[in-house]
Every structure is written in C-alpha cells, then in structure tokens.
Amino acid sequence: MAIRHWIHYNLSINKTLCLHDIIYFEYSIASEDISRSTTDNGVWYSLTPDCFVGMGRTHVKFRARANRDIHLALTKYDSTSSPGTAYYIIIGGWANTRSAIRFDIGSNECVFVSHTPLSQTYFDEFWVSWTGNYVRVGSGSSVGSSSFLSCYHTSMYEVNFIQIRTCCGSSGEWRFPNGSKSCNSYFL
C-alpha cells in the first residue's frame, strides 16, 4: 500500500507560514476484495479506512454472510449521528423475515418487504443504488435487476460515506469488490 500525505500551507496576510485547514491524503490499494467482520453489538463500522466511499458512486455491490440483520447506512458525513443525512438499509432484519429502507436511522420505514434474504450459510450477493430520486436494493451482482426494495425520495441526500453493522444476535462477514484504484480524502 502506497500512502502519500500532503499538507497545504498558505501565507497569511503578514507573510508568515501557517498551517491551512486542508490535509490531503492519497491511498493506493490492491485489487482484492475488502473484507470486514462485524460483531452482534450494533456498532457502525465505516468503510472509509478501506478507501471505500460513496463519493462518485451511484451504487454499491457486496456479499455478506450473517444469520440476520445486516445494516448499511449511506451517509453524507462519515458518521451515523447526523439526523436527516442518511439512508438506512436493513436486510434480513426481524429474525431474517423482513428488509426495509428508512430515510434516517431510527426513522419510519419508507418501504419494507417480508422475505428471507439471508441464506445464513453462504455469502449472499446484494446491491444498493441511489440515483434518480430512488434508493433501491436488490439481490445478485447485476445492479438494477432482482430488486426487492425501491424507495422514492423527492430531495435525495448526498451519499459520501458507507457504514455497515450487524446486530440483534448476529455477527457478519462482508466482502466489497475493491478494484485497483486510488482514494483521495480531504479533511476540513
């Protein structure tokens, strides 16, 4: 893994050197899948350290293995605590009997479906897309097909970050296709 750090400096009015508030990081990572394990404690894990973010994307594909309750948060900020800035997706919740999309964590459901999406033994493939005022969730590796949730939102949230978790008595294993790419991050 190659990592470069740049620190941007500006000259102030009195011509002294001072640290500006922008730090630039560039990461180059290998092309293998990103693997994450989540425990059953409900803690959110950001994929930002893995250079897997929502910026510049309109969908995400992944594989997961769990008994129940795999959750994704598509967020504007790299946190799940800012109200009105996240889509909350639950797959196999309620003891693997239901899936849902919410406009925010803890909010009412936009849409739900009763089904059994998790095999509990194998890695199941899913995709989530956010484009054209719709958030959609489906199974398989082909984005747009085998959709089982579709939620219309008149004023789409900006999706910059992806958070994952498992809870409610289930730990999980996650795989995200990485591809060979560089990730640039700006921290203000």
Side-chain angles (χ1 to χ4, degrees):
M1 174 187 290
I3 301 175
R4 256 190 303 180
H5 302 278
W6 295 355
I7 300 177
H8 181 88
Y9 290 93
N10 277 347
L11 290 176
S12 66
I13 293 174
N14 63 5
K15 306 292 184 208
T16 60
L17 192 63
C18 64
L19 180 63
H20 194 299
D21 61 354
I22 298 176
I23 300 173
Y24 174 79
F25 295 92
E26 179 177 294
Y27 299 90
S28 296
I29 50 181
S31 62
E32 56 206 37
D33 283 352
I34 296 167
S35 297
R36 275 296 185 100
S37 296
T38 51
T39 62
D40 69 350
N41 63 3
V43 171
W44 287 101
Y45 296 91
S46 172
L47 295 176
T48 304
D50 298 304
C51 194
F52 198 84
V53 295
M55 288 178 269
R57 298 179 188 270
T58 58
H59 69 273
V60 61
K61 298 191 286 188
F62 64 95
R63 294 176 292 135
R65 177 174 53 203
N67 292 330
R68 59 183 289 170
D69 283 281
I70 61 172
H71 299 198
L72 286 91
L74 307 174
T75 62
K76 180 176 183 177
Y77 306 106
D78 201 8
S79 165
T80 57
S81 62
S82 297
T85 63
Y87 296 107
Y88 179 37
I89 293 114
I90 304 165
I91 300 173
W94 300 270
N96 197 26
T97 63
R98 195 167 131 171
S99 297
I101 298 174
R102 294 178 175 167
F103 285 141
D104 220 343
I105 294 168
S107 70
N108 293 330
E109 296 166 350
C110 170
V111 64
F112 74 90
V113 64
S114 296
H115 66 155
T116 308
L118 300 171
S119 68
Q120 303 178 354
T121 305
Y122 306 103
F123 278 93
D124 299 297
E125 290 185 283
F126 298 100
W127 56 266
V128 178
S129 68
W130 54 94
T131 185
N133 294 94
Y134 283 92
V135 177
R136 293 184 173 96
V137 181
S139 58
S141 60
S142 180
V143 176
S145 45
S146 301
S147 174
F148 57 84
L149 292 171
S150 182
C151 178
Y152 180 78
H153 195 194
T154 56
S155 184
M156 292 289 285
Y157 298 146
E158 189 176 335
V159 175
N160 294 323
F161 300 97
I162 301 167
Q163 313 264 339
I164 60 172
R165 77 175 185 174
T166 46
C167 70
C168 312
S170 179
S171 58
E173 296 290 324
W174 302 74
R175 304 290 184 268
F176 292 86
N178 185 18
S180 182
K181 64 170 112 177
S182 292
C183 179
N184 299 328
S185 298
Y186 290 88
F187 302 93
L188 297 177

